[in-house]
């Protein structure tokens, strides 16, 4: 690695720093000291990173080779499946849209998984005397080494095989495959370079934590869209979309093959020109971003150096909160939900899934207004392990808890911060669900049941936080329980869910009775009744949990600081 790095400097600088060689050996030394092309050096560096990353770690080696084998198998079958579309009436529609989706994945995956490829961070090269244009060529060549480009190659080959017809189509296919791959890789590099400051900051890590949620939402959306598509007449419904997408690079490369195969040589030439222009534009934007990155200092420390008077002091919307411990605790809890990566991930996941489940079921014709309770249940789970969310910083809160009153106010403020978001959210989800399913008669009962369930979960969440505290590690994106505390965490969750069902059982039974006896006309009574029951349950739970918090405070502090 050190020799390669030295060659990078030599290739860029091109001026020797060693003493002059004797005249007799000048020809030999000049030939041996010829600079190695920068592109070759970067390709070797990429191969060295891959090779050295697999040394001394059998698990990482097994994972890499397993991923490679899986990619080859999936790529082979996808290529075969695309090739079987040859001659199909809608083959062009499928492969053009597939190329667009492939490019979209290449553009956004570096934002979701910035640590997947450490060569995506060009800020590591800012201290080397490298010019942007040769660096772009070298990074582009090294980016073609990896599993991602191999998978893209399989899809590109299968796509052009599906639509290439005749000599012109085959000639266009030979040009389209490298253009599609280069377009995808250049797009990914340009996006990653333009956002490299974000990717290496706390906000970038927040984005990576939310990537799993976005992928899950996207998969559910794709599943729903595919069902609607085939119910509405098949692939012919996508032809208007394909007519637009085939003019969006780099999907224009595949569209060029389809046009050339159909004899539309003018369209094929226009699409080739558009593909080349887009690739040149991406490379120019990438070079410009590299130049800016290498000559502009990182501004992350500039904001931290602002005068104290320029920073936020809790004014604005926070001034609407009550004073004293209650307002401070509510503000702290809401700030955790915005700033702490894991707390933010949990909140956003609950908010998204709580809306997706009732809405998608309603759109598929299998929904019910009572599915709005799912959103209340998802957000009610955020009340569990309240002290563990503070991690080791809870010791500062523990210093201020000495009486039952202190513990009760602390728990009440945390529940209040949760209610500030969950109550309006529950009302919104219930309204949307009722509108989609067209069941406004059951709306009052459904909203009353959802509010009762929310209050019940605030009750059991406070008790679970006092009896089953556990630590949330801060070092891993997907580690939510410290080692050895898994049983404690699951015990608190299951006990709380069972307790919530028992606490909410009277409202559930009343709702079922109203529905079975067909007395929906007086179901509006369940709205105030459910809201009152939820508020009473939450109050009782907070009152019962407060003495336990005071009594078990040392144990809670030890448990939440374990990670």
């Amino acid at each position: 690695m050190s020799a390669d790095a030295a060659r990078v400097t030599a290739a860029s600088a091109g001026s020797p720093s060693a003493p002059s060689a004797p005249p007799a050996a000048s020809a030999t030394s000049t030939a041996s000291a010829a600079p190695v092309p920068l592109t070759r050096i970067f390709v070797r560096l990429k191969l060295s990173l891959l090779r050295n990353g697999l040394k001394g770690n059998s698990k990482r080696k097994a994972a890499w080779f397993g991923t490679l084998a899986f990619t080859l198998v999936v790529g082979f079958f996808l290529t075969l499946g695309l090739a079987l579309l040859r001659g199909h009436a809608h083959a062009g529609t499928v492969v053009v849209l597939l190329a667009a989706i492939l490019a979209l994945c290449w553009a956004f995956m570096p934002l979701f998984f910035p640590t997947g490829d450490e060569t995506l961070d060009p800020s590591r090269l800012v201290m080397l005397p490298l010019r942007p244009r040769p660096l772009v060529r070298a990074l582009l060549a090294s980016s073609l080494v990896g599993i991602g480009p191999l998978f893209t190659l399989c899809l590109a080959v299968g796509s052009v095989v599906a639509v290439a017809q005749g000599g012109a189509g085959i000639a266009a296919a030979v040009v389209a495959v490298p253009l599609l791959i280069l377009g995808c890789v250049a797009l990914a590099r340009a996006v990653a370079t333009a956002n490299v400051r974000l990717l290496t900051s706390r906000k970038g890590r927040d984005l990576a934590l939310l990537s799993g949620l976005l992928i899950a939402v996207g998969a559910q959306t794709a599943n729903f869209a595919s069902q609607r598509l085939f119910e509405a007449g098949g692939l012919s419904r996508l032809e208007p979309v394909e007519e637009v997408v085939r003019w969006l690079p780099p999907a224009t490369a595949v569209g060029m093959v389809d046009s050339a195969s159909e004899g539309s040589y003018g369209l094929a030439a226009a699409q080739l020109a558009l593909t080349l222009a887009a690739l040149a534009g991406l490379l120019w934007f990438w070079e410009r971003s590299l130049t800016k990155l290498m000559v502009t200092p990182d501004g992350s420390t500039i904001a931290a150096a602002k005068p104290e008077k320029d920073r936020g002091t809790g004014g604005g919307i926070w001034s609407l909160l009550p004073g004293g411990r209650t307002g401070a605790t509510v503000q702290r809890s809401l700030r955790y939900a915005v700033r702490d990566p894991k707390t933010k991930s949990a909140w956003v996941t609950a908010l998204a899934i709580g809306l997706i489940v009732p809405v998608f079921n309603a759109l598929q014709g299998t929904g019910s207004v009572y599915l709005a309770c799912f959103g209340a249940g998802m957000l009610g789970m955020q009340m569990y392990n309240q002290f563990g969310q503070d991690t080791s910083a809870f010791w500062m809160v523990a210093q201020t808890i000495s009486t039952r009153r202190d513990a009760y106010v602390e728990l009440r403020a945390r529940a209040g911060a949760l209610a500030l978001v969950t109550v309006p959210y529950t009302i919104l989800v219930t309204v949307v669900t009722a509108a989609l399913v067209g069941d406004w008669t059951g709306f009052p009962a459904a909203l009353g049941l959802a509010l009762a369930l929310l209050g019940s979960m605030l009750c059991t969440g406070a008790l679970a936080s006092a009896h089953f505290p556990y630590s949330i590690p801060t070092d891993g994106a997907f580690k939510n329980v410290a080692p050895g505390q898994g049983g404690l965490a699951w015990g608190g969750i299951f006990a709380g869910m069972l307790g919530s069902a028992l606490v909410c059982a009277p409202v559930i039974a009343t709702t079922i009775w109203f529905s079975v006896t067909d007395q929906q006309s007086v179901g509006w009574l369940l709205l105030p009744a459910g809201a009152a029951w939820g508020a009473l349950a939450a109050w009782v739970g907070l009152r019962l949990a407060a003495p336990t918090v005071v009594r078990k405070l040392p144990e809670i502090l030890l448990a939440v600081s374990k990670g």
Side-chain angles (χ1 to χ4, degrees):
M1 294 293 294
S2 59
D4 287 334
R7 292 191 185 98
V8 170
T9 306
S12 176
S15 59
S17 58
S20 59
S26 60
T28 304
S29 61
T30 301
S32 61
V36 181
L38 189 64
T39 301
R40 185 187 305 176
I41 294 175
F42 268 75
V43 172
R44 292 176 58 185
L45 283 173
K46 181 63 175 288
L47 294 174
S48 298
L49 285 172
L50 293 175
R51 182 176 59 253
N52 295 338
L54 301 177
K55 288 182 178 179
N57 194 325
S58 58
K59 292 183 178 180
R60 183 180 299 177
K61 187 181 299 184
W64 192 86
F65 282 106
T67 304
L68 177 61
F70 178 78
T71 302
L72 290 174
V73 172
V74 174
F76 171 76
F77 283 105
L78 285 176
T79 304
L80 181 61
L82 290 171
L84 292 176
L85 289 176
R86 184 180 179 86
H88 192 276
H90 300 291
T93 301
V94 173
V95 296
V96 168
L97 293 178
L98 179 63
I101 294 173
L102 187 65
L104 195 64
C105 292
W106 270 95
F108 287 100
M109 283 303 171
L111 299 179
F112 293 154
F113 304 102
T115 58
D117 185 359
E118 57 186 353
T119 64
L120 286 175
D121 185 5
S123 62
R124 302 175 181 224
L125 307 173
V126 296
M127 299 302 295
L128 296 176
L130 302 174
R131 295 183 179 276
R133 185 161 297 178
L135 183 59
V136 166
R137 292 196 297 266
L139 287 174
L140 181 62
S142 63
S143 299
L144 298 176
V145 179
I147 296 178
L150 177 61
F151 183 72
T152 305
L153 175 63
C154 295
L155 293 183
V157 171
S159 297
V160 299
V161 169
V163 294
Q165 302 284 346
I170 294 175
V174 173
V175 178
V177 170
L179 284 180
L180 179 60
I181 298 175
L182 289 174
C184 290
V185 174
L187 180 60
R189 282 293 188 171
V191 171
T193 303
N195 296 276
V196 67
R197 301 297 190 195
L198 169 67
L199 298 180
T200 55
S201 66
R202 178 176 60 86
K203 292 183 179 180
R205 293 191 293 270
D206 295 350
L207 187 62
L209 280 173
L210 301 178
S211 60
L213 170 65
L214 297 178
I215 292 173
V217 172
Q220 184 67 20
T221 304
N223 177 48
F224 173 73
S226 63
Q227 291 179 4
R228 288 297 182 184
L229 174 65
F230 288 106
E231 290 175 0
L235 294 174
S236 59
R237 302 277 296 184
L238 292 177
E239 289 183 356
V241 180
E242 183 265 344
E243 291 294 335
V244 176
V245 172
R246 67 166 50 236
W247 291 99
L248 299 178
T252 47
V254 180
M256 172 189 64
V257 180
D258 191 27
S259 298
S261 300
E262 295 177 353
S264 303
Y265 303 121
L267 293 179
Q271 288 167 334
L272 175 60
L274 186 57
T275 305
L276 293 174
L279 180 59
L282 283 174
L283 294 177
W284 174 82
F285 177 74
W286 184 8
E287 179 183 347
R288 184 181 179 186
S289 299
L290 273 176
T291 303
K292 182 179 179 181
L293 177 68
M294 300 177 80
V295 301
T296 305
D298 186 3
S300 60
T301 58
I302 298 177
K306 289 182 179 180
E308 189 69 27
K309 63 180 181 180
D310 293 340
R311 302 181 185 178
T313 56
I317 193 173
W318 302 117
S319 61
L320 301 176
L321 297 175
R325 185 190 191 104
T326 299
T329 303
V330 170
Q331 184 176 160
R332 183 182 71 238
S333 299
L334 294 177
R335 287 187 184 274
Y336 277 168
V338 175
R339 295 181 177 180
D340 181 64
K342 291 195 173 181
T343 305
K344 180 191 295 185
S345 177
W347 271 85
V348 174
T349 301
L351 289 169
I353 297 180
L355 180 63
I356 287 173
V357 170
V359 168
F360 272 78
N361 277 276
L363 293 176
Q364 292 175 350
T366 60
S368 169
V369 68
Y370 292 100
L371 282 178
C373 298
F374 189 84
M378 288 294 299
L379 285 174
M381 293 289 294
Q382 306 308 311
M383 187 63 189
Y384 290 73
N385 196 34
Q386 277 291 311
F387 305 127
Q389 296 175 13
D390 296 356
T391 62
S392 58
F394 178 68
W395 73 270
M396 300 182 65
V397 179
Q399 303 300 316
T400 65
I401 298 178
S402 57
T403 63
R404 293 184 179 182
R405 177 65 182 175
D406 295 336
Y408 170 71
V409 174
E410 176 72 22
L411 287 171
R412 184 186 63 185
R414 290 173 181 255
L418 189 62
L420 283 177
V421 179
T422 54
V423 172
Y425 174 82
T426 300
I427 297 174
L428 175 64
V429 172
T430 310
V431 169
V432 171
T433 307
L436 291 176
V437 301
D439 186 9
W440 291 105
T441 305
F443 168 77
L447 182 56
L449 179 60
L451 294 176
L453 176 63
L454 177 60
S456 300
M457 297 198 75
L458 293 178
C459 166
T460 57
L463 293 171
S465 298
H467 290 278
F468 302 100
Y470 58 90
S471 177
I472 301 177
T474 58
D475 56 346
F478 300 102
K479 292 172 60 179
N480 294 318
V481 182
Q485 293 185 330
L488 188 66
W490 284 110
I493 292 174
F494 282 118
M497 293 177 64
L498 180 61
S500 298
L502 293 176
V503 172
C504 196
V507 181
I508 296 175
T510 305
T511 304
I512 295 175
W513 181 79
F514 270 98
S515 178
V516 171
T517 58
D518 197 18
Q519 298 188 31
Q520 296 287 349
S521 58
V522 292
W524 61 270
L525 294 174
L526 287 176
L527 176 54
W533 185 269
L536 177 63
W539 178 79
V540 171
L542 296 174
R543 284 291 184 184
L544 293 177
T548 305
V549 170
V550 177
R551 186 175 67 254
K552 300 180 62 176
L553 191 59
E555 300 177 26
I556 296 174
L557 184 59
L558 180 64
V560 302
S561 302
K562 187 175 182 179

